[in-house]
């Protein structure tokens, strides 16, 4: 059977199952099973079991439930309220007002978390109810959250940059540093988008009275101290050399418990709810990741992604055309596979192409992360969409529509780093050697 | 019956939560040890051996043991957009097909994982870290989790066919057993 | 016939290059009858699962780091015991002693070794010059297995667990101050970004091994089997030479990027040799008959 037929059958099966309301983890697993069954003779059961086991006990992933638990505790403490009250006087005059909290909150949280799903879950838990209560438009709340949470992948630490660094023998420290400026650029672009929307359509924003004296501003800012203490504690533990990025997640849980206790909001009931909700959310993500891992392995046995990439290779494109083609390729692939799978499956084939046309592999790592960020907010398989659906109960297509402007901004960022590669290479260039 | 099943899901969910808290405790201990070393010098260096391995195994246990509990709390993600258009009998038929397909898949996953566990036991597989952990131990949490997941899906399937509530007393039971 | 073969390391790693050539030679020798498709960098099966995946015939063949199996029997981990084999000559003699023993052990898991290729000898990476064993005293030392932990304790260093991806950050923040690894790993992770000195103490010479499932191998016709074995023998010889060349090139790369290469002083060598004797004694206390057989053959 031709490659194209294989792809049509599998994509059709995946779409069909998702449309009938099949749970995503099952839909991915069953599509993988169908692919193996139809197009290979490899033993299905042992591969399924080996993949589920092999991908479920990873140390790097252990940070995920902890960061989610941290978010659940913060949600139930007064901290989220304080963060809004503290930021409000400062953002009152900025067009777009408190929507910037979503963006800044995600950017700050991205500096302690390696994953965009954890970023979406934690910030979303805090910000969505507050913003809805204040009457901000749903579309913008969901869009800014889905879009900004992808920063978790780019602003270091980043699980996906670690995977790329290992697969392509690039220095992970350099990749991390290379992610900083593009991350800051995206924050600025997202904030500018919100500000411009607010200037063009002031009527969709709530008419909050937001005039504050300096004195009021300063006294309100005291309420930001716990948030700042939390961030300083988590990031500080990494930079003081007492915690790895995964360890820092546990520091975050402990510090948020301390904060909740000191503000008097820590009760047994609250703690139990927080833990059980974190259990549900991390189980949900783990099940989808297991399904995605199995689909990835199944695709590896069928050889489809490899052949697709080799097919692109046959066109002998120059660097610009190659990048354009790869961008389309990754966006399509990113609709159905999670980011880490995309990186793992394709670097083996694509890196030689990249190097043969003279593209810097360090730069390409950041490019890849931004493209993968886009895949987090494209349906039907987009992890930020799933997390936000879990938070709000909205269906993923509505969330994806809300996130569309941010998808376009990410695409613009890809164009910008292509035109001005210094955005990526300047900081790592300052390092020794 | 209903109550007994819900209690089983809850117990597994609580185990899973305990695993997450244990990861947190384990890692926090190690960070405190690192802090002590930092403050008092390297003659006070303590490490929890293989703590990354243990965190991984606990994560696997947490992820799989909670599958049934998460299903019952509608925590697993599904796309309901098109389903919302299908009202009445057609909707119920599609739901029954979906549940049946998922249940069959879960049975196969459980069966495959039992095979994996059996192989692991018969060869005496151990982990590769500083402390050799017999792999059947963490792997059996996957089998138990998947078996309970199968049970919960069959439970939902039967309830949907009979047209009775899927998880009548879950919240009540949790209130009663809030000391778990 | 098509064989899917998972390997743990990226395409550019010399082990992978060598295995790719092995696959090409098998394909040519069998006129395409046996087509081995590599899945590199753990893209199909994660490193930790490759051995078991070959065992239960998920894939017919695979590569892994041999001493990963040290917890199954110390015989597998002997090439990662510090200061037993400290040169390529030693390593070759050790492999000669080890091969028949582990062939027997792997047969119990229906695995047949095809060839084994060493990594470059492991050297010491630090942020200051190490002149004697005493200079290691008090340093935070990366230890990822029981042998290294004992080594660290014996030289008065503080054993620290750092996962591989966290290494640069751990050095940058002082969470770790010394590690032993190959010049390849040092150069590939751009060690010059976070440390300054490299001392090639050749502490041990660990190996990767390529194994095939016996049932899959026996299912091949005799001619194909012979072709596989011949290509394997060639790959082993070629791999050892590639490893030697890699050691030189990567050490040069470290030097070119500003790392100070310190030839170990006689004092350091003598001190390490003493630690090695202690480590071996310690290790023999928990060894198995299979492992003893290797040691006896090696030191005879
Ligand atoms: Na991050
Ligand atoms: Na997507």
């Amino acid at each position: 059977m031709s490659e194209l037929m294989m792809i049509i059958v599998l994509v059709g099966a995946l779409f069909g199952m998702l449309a009938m309301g099949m749970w995503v983890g099952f839909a991915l697993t069953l599509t993988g099973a169908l692919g193996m069954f139809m197009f290979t003779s490899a033993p299905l059961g042992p591969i399924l079991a080996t993949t589920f086991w092999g991908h479920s006990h990873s140390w790097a992933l252990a940070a995920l439930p902890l960061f989610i638990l941290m978010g659940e505790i913060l949600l139930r403490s007064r901290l989220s309220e304080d963060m809004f009250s503290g930021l409000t006087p400062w953002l009152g005059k900025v067009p777009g007002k408190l929507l910037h909290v979503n963006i800044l909150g995600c950017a700050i949280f991205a500096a302690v978390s390696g994953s965009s799903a954890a970023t979406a879950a934690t910030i979303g838990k805090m910000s969505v109810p507050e913003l809805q209560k204040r009457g901000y438009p749903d579309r913008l709340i969901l869009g800014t959250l889905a879009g900004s949470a992808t920063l978790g992948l780019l602003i270091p630490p980043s699980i996906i940059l670690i995977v790329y660094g290992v697969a392509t023998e690039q220095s992970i420290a350099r990749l991390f540093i290379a992610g900083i400026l593009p991350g800051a650029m995206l924050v600025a672009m997202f904030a500018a988008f919100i500000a411009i929307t607010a200037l063009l359509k002031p009527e969709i924003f709530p008419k909050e009275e937001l005039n504050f004296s300096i004195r009021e501003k300063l006294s309100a800012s005291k309420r930001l101290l716990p948030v700042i203490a939390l961030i300083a504690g988590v990031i500080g533990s990494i930079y003081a050399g007492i915690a790895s990025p995964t360890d820092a997640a546990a520091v975050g849980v402990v510090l948020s418990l301390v904060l909740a206790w000191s503000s008097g909001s820590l009760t047994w009931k609250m703690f139990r709810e927080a833990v059980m909700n974190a259990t549900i959310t991390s189980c949900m993500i783990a099940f989808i990741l297991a399904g995605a891992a199995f689909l990835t392995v199944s695709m590896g046995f069928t050889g489809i992604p490899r052949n697709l990439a080799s097919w692109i290779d046959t066109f002998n494109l120059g660097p610009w055309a190659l990048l354009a083609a790869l961008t389309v390729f990754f966006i399509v692939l990113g609709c159905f596979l999670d980011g880490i799978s995309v990186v793992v499956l394709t670097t083996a084939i694509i890196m030689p192409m990249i190097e043969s046309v003279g593209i810097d592999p360090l730069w390409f790592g950041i490019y890849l992360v931004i493209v993968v960020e886009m895949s987090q907010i494209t349906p039907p398989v987009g992890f930020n969409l799933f997390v936000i659906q879990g938070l709000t109960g909205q269906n993923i297509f509505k969330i994806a529509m809300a996130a569309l402007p941010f998808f376009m901004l990410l695409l613009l960022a890809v164009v910008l780093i292509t035109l001005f590669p210094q955005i990526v290479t300047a900081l790592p260039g300052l390092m020794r050697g | 019956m209903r109550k007994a099943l819900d209690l089983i899901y809850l117990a597994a969910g609580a185990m899973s939560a305990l695993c997450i808290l244990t990861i947190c405790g384990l890692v926090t201990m190690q960070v405190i040890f690192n802090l002590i070393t930092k403050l008092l010098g390297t003659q006070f260096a303590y490490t929890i051996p293989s703590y990354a391995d243990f965190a991984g195994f606990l994560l696997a246990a947490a992820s799989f043991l909670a599958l049934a509990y998460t299903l019952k709390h509608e925590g697993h993600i599904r796309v309901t957009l098109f389903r919302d258009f299908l009202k009445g009998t057609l909707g119920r038929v599609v739901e029954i097909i979906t549940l049946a397909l998922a249940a069959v898949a879960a049975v196969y996953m459980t069966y495959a994982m039992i095979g994996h566990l059996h192989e692991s036991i018969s060869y005496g597989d151990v982990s590769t870290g500083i402390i050799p952990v017999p792999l059947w131990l963490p792997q059996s949490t996957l089998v138990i989790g998947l078996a309970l997941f199968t049970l919960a899906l069959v439970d939902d399937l039967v309830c949907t066919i009979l047209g009775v509530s899927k998880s009548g007393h879950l919240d009540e039971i949790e209130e009663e057993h809030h000391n778990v | 016939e098509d064989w899917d073969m998972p390997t743990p390391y990226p395409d550019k790693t010399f082990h992978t290059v060598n295995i790719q050539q092995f696959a090409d030679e098998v394909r040519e020798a069998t006129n395409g009858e046996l087509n081995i498709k590599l899945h590199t960098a753990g893209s199909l099966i994660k490193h930790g699962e490759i051995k078991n995946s070959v065992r239960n015939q998920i894939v017919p063949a695979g590569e892994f780091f041999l001493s990963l199996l040290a917890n199954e029997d110390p015989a597998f981990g002997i090439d990662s015991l510090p200061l037993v084999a400290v040169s390529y000559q030693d390593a070759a003699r050790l492999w000669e002693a080890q091969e028949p023993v582990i062939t027997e052990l792997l047969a119990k898991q229906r695995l047949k070794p095809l060839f084994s290729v060493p990594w470059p000898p492991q050297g010491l990476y630090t942020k200051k010059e190490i002149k004697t064993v005493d200079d290691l005293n008090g340093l935070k030392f990366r230890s990822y297995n029981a042998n290294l932990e004992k080594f660290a304790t014996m030289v008065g260093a503080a054993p620290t667990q750092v996962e591989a991806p966290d290494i640069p950050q751990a050095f940058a923040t002082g969470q770790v101050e010394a590690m032993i690894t190959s010049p390849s790993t040092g150069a590939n992770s751009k060690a010059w970004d976070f440390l300054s000195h490299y001392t090639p103490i050749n502490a041990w010479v660990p190996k990767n091994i390529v194994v095939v499932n016996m049932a899959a191998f026996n299912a091949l016709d005799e001619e194909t089997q012979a072709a596989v074995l011949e290509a394997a023998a060639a790959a082993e010889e070629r791999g050892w030479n590639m490893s030697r060349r890699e050691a030189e090139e990567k050490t040069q790369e470290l030097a070119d990027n500003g790392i100070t290469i310190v030839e170990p002083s006689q004092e350091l060598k003598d001190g390490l040799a003493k630690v090695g004797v202690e480590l071996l004694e310690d290790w023999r206390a928990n060894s198995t008959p299979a492992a003893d057989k290797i040691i006896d053959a090696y030191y005879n």
Side-chain angles (χ1 to χ4, degrees), chain A residues 331-338 372-383 385:
Chain A
I331 289 173
V332 172
L333 211 57
C335 285
F336 305 101
L337 295 178
D338 77 283
V372 163
E373 281 190 25
M374 295 160 68
S375 79
Q376 302 284 326
I377 53 176
T378 52
V381 180
F383 277 79
L385 303 180

Side-chain angles (χ1 to χ4, degrees), chain C:
Chain C
E1 190 171 4
D2 281 353
W3 275 14
D4 287 298
M5 176 173 175
T7 71
Y9 301 99
D11 286 22
K12 275 194 280 178
T13 311
F14 77 93
H15 285 285
T16 314
V17 173
N18 188 34
I19 293 174
Q20 184 62 61
Q21 196 173 334
F22 161 75
D24 293 342
E25 283 178 9
V26 169
R27 191 179 308 111
E28 277 163 35
T30 61
N31 291 320
E33 280 293 302
L34 182 58
N35 177 26
I36 301 177
K37 284 189 290 183
L38 291 196
H39 297 265
T40 57
S43 60
L44 191 66
I45 311 277
K46 284 187 157 192
H47 193 174
E49 312 295 329
I50 290 179
K51 189 262 291 173
N52 289 356
S53 299
V54 180
R55 185 177 72 192
N56 65 12
Q57 286 192 277
I58 286 179
V59 286
E63 180 202 27
F64 55 88
F65 188 61
L66 181 59
S67 57
L68 211 56
L69 310 191
N71 283 348
E72 293 186 9
D73 192 305
F76 290 113
I78 215 153
D79 60 8
S80 286
L81 184 60
L83 308 161
V84 168
V86 293
S87 67
Y88 277 108
Q89 289 90 324
D90 287 357
R93 279 200 307 120
L94 185 62
W95 176 226
E96 217 171 281
Q98 194 183 16
E99 187 176 11
V101 176
I102 65 155
T103 302
E104 210 170 299
L105 287 174
L106 287 172
K108 290 182 195 158
Q109 303 196 37
R110 297 176 291 190
L111 301 174
K112 175 182 171 62
L114 285 181
F115 59 92
S116 178
V117 172
W119 288 93
Q122 309 282 298
L124 179 64
Y125 290 82
T126 48
K127 289 171 148 180
K128 60 170 194 183
E129 189 176 339
I130 303 295
K131 294 197 191 81
T132 67
V133 169
D134 288 341
D135 290 339
L136 291 169
N137 202 342
L139 289 186
K140 289 179 221 162
F141 184 89
R142 177 173 182 245
S143 335
Y144 49 84
N145 63 34
N147 290 331
L148 272 175
E149 202 167 88
K150 275 186 212 127
F151 173 84
T153 318
M154 280 178 186
V155 301
T160 309
Q161 288 179 61
V162 177
E163 298 297 309
D166 296 335
I167 289 174
Q169 191 158 25
F171 266 99
T173 57
Q175 193 185 350
V176 68
E177 294 160 322
M179 67 172 172
I180 295 184
T181 189
S182 71
S184 316
T185 309
N188 294 345
S189 63
K190 296 198 165 54
W192 46 88
D193 283 347
F194 50 86
L195 46 78
S196 56
H197 286 72
Y198 175 67
T199 316
I201 56 172
N202 297 356
W204 66 93
V205 190
K207 296 187 293 289
N208 284 357
I209 190 164
V210 171
V211 299
V212 62
N213 183 287
M214 282 178 171
F217 184 76
N218 293 336
L220 301 173
D221 61 53
E222 255 171 54
E223 225 171 288
T224 313
Q225 287 184 356
V228 170
L229 292 180
E230 195 181 320
E236 181 155 307
E237 196 183 330
R238 183 175 59 235
W240 281 68
N241 289 329
M242 287 172 97
S243 178
R244 288 192 187 90
R245 206 158 46 237
E246 168 95 356
E248 279 166 30
E249 283 171 8
K250 293 291 174 171
T251 308
Q252 189 57 45
E253 189 179 338
L254 290 173
D256 290 347
N257 283 286
I259 287 201
T260 313
I261 314 285
V262 190
E263 275 310 314
S265 67
Q266 196 55 45
E267 216 181 338
L268 179 63
K269 281 185 190 163
D270 293 346
L272 286 173
K274 247 166 66 194
V275 175
V277 171
E278 264 182 83
L279 267 174
L280 183 62
E281 242 167 68
D282 202 274
W283 182 85
R284 292 200 79 152
N286 300 314
S287 84
T288 55
D292 282 338
K293 219 154 116 192
I294 299 173
I295 285 294
D296 293 343
Y298 179 64
Y299 282 110
N300 73 0

Side-chain angles (χ1 to χ4, degrees), chain A residues 37 90 129 149 159 341 347:
Chain A
F37 186 73
W90 295 99
I159 293 173
S341 315
T347 46

